[in-house]
Amino acid sequence: MPTLAQAEKARAASRFETARHIYGILLRNKSLQKDDKAEILLGLADVERIRGYFPEALGHYRQAETLLKGIDPTAVVDAQVGWALAARASGQPRPALQKLWKSLAFYRKERDLEGEAFVRWALGGTLRIAGDMKKGLQELLTALRLFKKLKNSEGLSYTCCALGGLYRMLGDYASSGRYYREANRRMRQRGDTFGIAYSYCGLGNVERMAGRFKQALPFYKKAEKLYGKIGDRVSYAYTLWSLGTTYKMLDQYLPAHWAFYKADKLFQQTGDTRGRIYALLGFAEIEWLIAKENPKRIEKATRKANGYWKLAKRIGDSSHYVWEKLHVEALRSGKVRNLSSKYKKAGSRFFPKSLPVNWP
């Protein structure tokens, strides 16, 4: 009979499928105590969330929370934070934020620095997705300070990655690259395969958004190889989207289309509405660029581009994502509109001035 320690070891080594299998075997034990079963469910939920199986993850977090009520209040809140991360990834940033703010209040009341640091990291990333860069940066810097105080290398690694992403969105590529390099160094020291891939993708994003497209490609390819190895679907999909955008900016439309296609398939599998919007806009831009270069294809390409934009708009209108709605508004007509004031209000330095667009 495998043990919980073996499952945790496999999860820490980014062997998510192995960890999932062991957790499943452990759950078949009919004599499990409530708290033991809840611990297994929390580990399984984390694995499913990382792998992109969000409905399953949400269900496991809920089940663990129910089992832990009246037994361990802190573990209940831990389950709620996990639920919020899965909700954020599945297109529910608002309920995720509500849950995270309540969790933060609990951890602070309990003087639980580990819990507070983790939830501030989660808040920083969620606020970024929700379009509030200023608050997101404040939360991540606080998380970084707390993880340093706790000497928590894993927490520092992932907070550095989050800061790398946020500073990139603020246009501060020097700071972004510095944090991603620090994250990559720490991840390699710890042997965290998932984290190494995550930081490589981040380094590629820095190069891409700085306009150094050829320099971005090796980072993406390293990340793509690692993600494929560990069976990730979430971060892998965004790496593919970034790779497609890089090829698009290099006027390599065939590999760009193929990367967007693979990314979109994964976004559909995981139910990631935000990712789908980006993939659809990528398809639309490629059609627009092809039409621009080949007048004989203008009518057909424009019709296809409009189809992609309409679908992206329909998905965007049903979501709570601030930036993505602006992206659709900017690109759906095939002409760049001056939306700089709206982008700045959302906390972005980026707004379309010309096509093709190289963000976010």
Side-chain angles (χ1 to χ4, degrees):
M1 169 70 80
T3 64
L4 179 59
Q6 290 175 323
E8 298 292 301
K9 185 177 180 180
R11 183 176 58 148
S14 301
R15 292 186 287 113
F16 300 125
E17 189 58 47
T18 299
R20 177 177 177 271
H21 178 67
I22 295 173
Y23 285 129
I25 293 174
L26 294 173
L27 283 174
R28 294 179 200 145
N29 184 350
K30 302 295 185 181
S31 61
L32 283 172
Q33 297 294 315
K34 282 187 177 182
D35 54 345
D36 292 331
K37 184 175 182 180
E39 187 176 3
I40 295 168
L41 283 167
L42 286 174
L44 179 58
D46 286 343
V47 167
E48 297 293 47
R49 173 173 57 80
I50 293 170
R51 294 174 68 241
Y53 291 84
F54 301 125
E56 292 84 349
L58 290 166
H60 294 321
Y61 284 126
R62 285 293 195 204
Q63 191 178 354
E65 180 184 351
T66 300
L67 289 170
L68 290 164
K69 282 181 179 177
I71 299 176
D72 188 342
T74 299
V76 168
V77 177
D78 291 344
Q80 291 173 347
V81 173
W83 183 94
L85 289 171
R88 176 185 79 182
S90 58
Q92 304 174 64
R94 288 182 181 176
L97 282 173
Q98 291 171 358
K99 192 76 72 176
L100 290 172
W101 286 122
K102 289 180 181 178
S103 300
L104 178 60
F106 173 86
Y107 288 130
R108 295 197 69 188
K109 182 180 178 181
E110 295 294 313
R111 299 182 183 276
D112 183 342
L113 290 185
E114 195 82 44
E116 180 182 348
F118 184 79
V119 81
R120 286 191 185 276
W121 164 79
L123 274 167
T126 308
L127 286 164
R128 170 193 161 186
I129 289 175
D132 195 332
M133 294 290 132
K134 187 176 180 179
K135 285 185 180 178
L137 180 59
Q138 290 173 349
E139 294 302 324
L140 289 175
L141 290 173
T142 302
L144 189 72
R145 175 177 57 80
L146 291 173
F147 280 128
K148 283 181 179 178
K149 184 176 181 178
L150 293 163
K151 296 182 181 179
N152 184 320
S153 180
E154 182 179 11
L156 283 170
S157 301
Y158 282 96
T159 303
C160 283
C161 268
L163 282 165
L166 198 145
Y167 273 117
R168 185 185 83 243
M169 300 311 299
L170 292 175
D172 186 346
Y173 304 129
S175 295
S176 179
R178 185 172 69 252
Y179 277 113
Y180 274 129
R181 285 190 295 274
E182 176 64 13
N184 184 263
R185 181 185 70 80
R186 287 180 175 275
M187 298 293 191
R188 285 187 287 107
Q189 281 182 343
R190 294 175 49 251
D192 185 339
T193 306
F194 175 83
I196 294 168
Y198 191 44
S199 56
Y200 273 141
C201 180
L203 286 166
N205 284 335
V206 173
E207 297 299 318
R208 171 178 60 81
M209 289 192 69
R212 298 185 289 266
F213 304 116
K214 290 183 179 179
Q215 290 91 323
L217 289 174
F219 289 119
Y220 290 139
K221 289 178 180 178
K222 287 180 180 180
E224 184 182 13
K225 184 177 180 180
L226 290 172
Y227 280 136
K229 179 181 177 182
I230 64 180
D232 174 86
R233 300 192 303 172
V234 184
S235 298
Y236 182 32
Y238 280 100
T239 297
L240 288 167
W241 174 85
S242 297
L243 185 61
T245 300
T246 303
Y247 280 128
K248 177 192 71 179
M249 300 303 293
L250 290 169
D251 299 328
Q252 298 181 33
Y253 303 140
L254 187 60
H257 193 281
W258 180 236
F260 286 141
Y261 174 78
K262 291 194 291 185
D264 189 47
K265 284 290 185 185
L266 289 173
F267 289 136
Q268 289 185 64
Q269 288 175 19
T270 61
D272 189 334
T273 54
R274 176 171 171 260
R276 282 226 72 200
I277 292 169
Y278 285 134
L280 290 165
L281 291 178
F283 286 135
E285 266 204 290
I286 288 174
E287 293 298 333
W288 186 88
L289 291 166
I290 290 173
K292 187 177 179 181
E293 292 182 2
N294 188 348
K296 293 182 179 179
R297 292 192 56 185
I298 285 180
E299 186 176 346
K300 181 179 179 181
T302 300
R303 186 169 62 252
K304 290 177 71 175
N306 285 336
Y308 289 128
W309 272 309
K310 286 179 181 178
L311 180 54
K313 181 179 185 303
R314 187 161 71 246
I315 295 172
D317 287 344
S318 64
S319 74
H320 301 295
Y321 297 118
V322 177
W323 284 24
E324 287 65 33
K325 288 183 181 181
L326 288 174
H327 298 347
V328 173
E329 187 178 348
L331 296 177
R332 65 185 175 186
S333 68
K335 297 178 181 179
V336 174
R337 299 179 180 182
N338 185 10
L339 295 171
S340 60
S341 62
K342 291 185 179 180
Y343 273 89
K344 288 178 181 177
K345 187 177 179 181
S348 174
R349 291 187 182 184
F350 304 105
F351 44 88
K353 295 179 180 178
S354 62
L355 293 176
V357 174
N358 175 37
W359 43 237

